[in-house]
Amino acid sequence: MTEHSAPARPRRPLRALLQAAVVSFALVLGDALAPEAARAVDYPSWEDVLAARSNEASKQGEIARIQNLISGLEAETVAAQALSEQRGAEYETAQIAFDEGVRVSDELDQKAGEAEAEAAASSQRAGSIAAQLARSGGSNLSIALLGGSGGGDADALLYQLGALSKLTEQTSGIYAAAEQSRNSAAAIASQAEVAEAALDGLRIAAEQALAEAAAAQQAVEQMLAEEQSRRVELAAQLDVLVSNRVATEADYQAGVAERARIAAERARAEAEARAAAERERAARGGGGGGGGGGGAGGETGPIITGPGGQGWSSPLPNARVTSEFGNRFHPIDAVWRLHAGIDLVSPGGTCGANVYAASAGTVTFAGSNGGLGNAVTISHGGGRTTVYGHNTSLVVRSGWSVVEGQLIAKAGTTGASTGCHVHFETRLNGTAQNPRQVLGQYGTGF
């Protein structure tokens, strides 16, 4: 995770680069991310099962049907998981394209400003020379041309004429340079407008890719729950047929009971995550202060507020940064591009370490995210989002509300990673910002 400075390297033409990115993501998000047509599955009812028991051929046919449905459930779940991973990879690709668009746009704005400043400076230098010439040499030379005489004066006059010619040539050159800088600034400003227009398309593509990735992950979770409940019900129906026995009330209610169990398990997991977060916050922010004197217990730590009044803290307490925000040579993809966050490791060991929400918000994505591996994205309101990548496992799901300091994942090295760490991003309206600076303004350092 060693940083390198970016060398000068050839760039693709601006318009071709940005238009190609917009077109490619329009195609990806227009077709590949289209909602999948739901496949209607004709599951057997208990009436079908009981009716099949009266005839051996019908019974064997129903057994084969149920066995095929169970196999089909497994295949559909695997396919849904693959689709979710694909959507996550597309989300990462769209985000990288947007980050590159931001870099190009910012770079052009900077160059346009520099060219305009150079043009203004050149014009000012030329004007200063012309004014100085008018105040001194210009008037003396006119007098010499009109009334001067004598050989000595002629030599001085020739010298003045030569100096005037040089100054005029220099001034003209400076004015020409100023004009060239102005033309360059105008051309770059035109390119910047193209980049800005393309950036809007890339931002929309990234936002849509995030929504599609979150929807695909939620579909997987729903399908897993459906598979579990359906599998239990189908297994009960299969057992009745194979055993050739009378169905009981427990058989009838098997699927219903399993669905209730899954819903209760999810509610319990969310409640436990919240309770653990509150305990963690209390342990980290308050606590008894020994030797403090006659107060009624220890005082809680200061609450650092951010946008909307939330507290902000490091997602990996006491972590150190091993790779900074900025342009770098990617250690796995072997390309120069923006490292859109910072990499954090814990001095006590990072693999399996708790990863916490940096601030309160709503989980907008929790799943496979291409090179970021198992990742979580949290929206904090006001356009502010945070991203936590390379986790070994996730504790939260899309749609969950979380508080600052709530456990959201276990750190790991999934995705494009060279070792256990937390890749932590802070973004504003989709644009990556340095987490050091963002959290630093609220009193949280790394």
Side-chain angles (χ1 to χ4, degrees):
M1 302 184 187
T2 303
E3 294 298 311
H4 306 270
S5 58
R9 59 193 186 284
R11 304 275 191 194
R12 290 178 59 188
L14 171 70
R15 187 181 295 269
L17 173 69
L18 295 176
Q19 288 183 345
V22 173
V23 170
S24 64
F25 281 103
L27 292 175
V28 168
L29 298 175
D31 295 330
L33 297 184
E36 302 291 333
R39 184 174 71 85
V41 179
D42 183 20
Y43 289 102
S45 67
W46 277 105
E47 288 77 8
D48 296 333
V49 171
L50 297 178
R53 289 179 62 243
S54 61
N55 180 281
E56 185 63 24
S58 297
K59 185 176 75 171
Q60 293 303 321
E62 198 68 14
I63 289 174
R65 176 189 176 197
I66 292 175
Q67 289 173 335
N68 288 335
L69 285 171
I70 292 175
S71 298
L73 282 173
E74 296 174 354
E76 286 182 1
T77 301
V78 170
Q81 185 63 52
L83 178 62
S84 176
E85 292 176 359
Q86 177 187 338
R87 294 294 183 261
E90 289 166 355
Y91 166 37
E92 184 203 25
T93 302
Q95 190 66 74
I96 290 173
F98 174 72
D99 289 342
E100 175 65 8
V102 171
R103 185 196 64 76
V104 170
S105 180
D106 290 346
E107 187 176 279
L108 288 172
D109 285 341
Q110 181 180 352
K111 287 183 177 180
E114 291 172 351
E116 190 62 45
E118 179 60 31
S122 296
S123 296
Q124 185 176 7
R125 285 197 301 272
S128 297
I129 292 175
Q132 182 179 4
L133 182 62
R135 287 194 301 269
S136 56
S139 58
N140 293 338
L141 184 59
S142 297
I143 295 172
L145 287 171
L146 293 174
S149 61
D153 291 340
D155 291 339
L157 178 60
L158 289 174
Y159 174 80
Q160 286 183 296
L161 284 172
L164 178 61
S165 176
K166 289 292 185 182
L167 285 172
T168 302
E169 180 181 345
Q170 182 181 4
T171 304
S172 298
I174 294 175
Y175 273 123
E179 183 65 23
Q180 183 178 358
S181 295
R182 276 191 292 270
N183 292 338
S184 178
I188 296 173
S190 178
Q191 289 181 315
E193 291 178 1
V194 173
E196 187 66 27
L199 197 57
D200 290 337
L202 292 172
R203 179 183 287 108
I204 292 171
E207 291 172 351
Q208 186 176 350
L210 169 59
E212 293 290 347
Q217 180 61 31
Q218 287 178 322
V220 167
E221 294 170 3
Q222 292 172 0
M223 183 165 288
L224 285 171
E226 177 71 12
E227 180 196 11
Q228 286 177 303
S229 61
R230 285 288 185 186
R231 184 188 291 273
V232 168
E233 186 172 14
L234 288 170
Q237 292 174 335
L238 188 61
D239 183 64
V240 166
L241 288 170
V242 172
S243 302
N244 197 27
R245 62 178 176 80
V246 177
T248 66
E249 184 64 24
D251 292 325
Y252 294 144
Q253 297 299 321
V256 175
E258 180 64 12
R259 280 189 284 274
R261 186 195 68 78
I262 292 172
E265 177 65 22
R266 285 189 171 183
R268 183 190 62 78
E270 185 169 3
E272 286 184 356
R274 286 186 172 278
E278 292 300 334
R279 289 194 299 270
E280 183 70 23
R281 289 186 69 188
R284 290 161 58 192
E299 295 182 353
T300 59
I303 298 175
I304 307 301
T305 58
Q310 306 105 311
W312 286 82
S313 59
S314 171
L316 193 65
N318 303 315
R320 63 183 179 87
V321 178
T322 59
S323 188
E324 297 285 356
F325 176 91
N327 200 34
R328 72 166 186 179
F329 189 75
H330 196 281
I332 293 179
D333 294 343
V335 294
W336 285 95
R337 69 164 178 253
L338 175 68
H339 184 225
I342 56 177
D343 291 342
L344 304 173
V345 298
S346 175
T350 308
C351 295
N354 290 341
V355 180
Y356 303 100
S359 187
T362 302
V363 178
T364 55
F365 178 78
S368 176
N369 188 194
L372 286 180
N374 296 326
V376 175
T377 299
I378 300 175
S379 173
H380 305 284
R384 174 74 67 195
T385 57
T386 51
V387 180
Y388 314 75
H390 304 303
N391 305 287
T392 187
S393 63
L394 305 180
V395 177
V396 295
R397 296 188 179 92
S398 293
W400 281 25
S401 294
V402 295
V403 297
E404 180 267 328
Q406 180 169 336
L407 178 65
I408 59 173
K410 294 288 186 175
T413 184
T414 56
S417 170
T418 57
C420 288
H421 69 285
V422 176
H423 172 83
F424 177 54
E425 296 181 6
T426 53
R427 293 179 178 270
L428 183 62
N429 297 322
T431 301
Q433 297 181 322
N434 192 335
R436 279 189 183 275
Q437 297 173 358
V438 173
L439 270 68
Q441 64 186 324
Y442 305 120
T444 299
F446 296 98

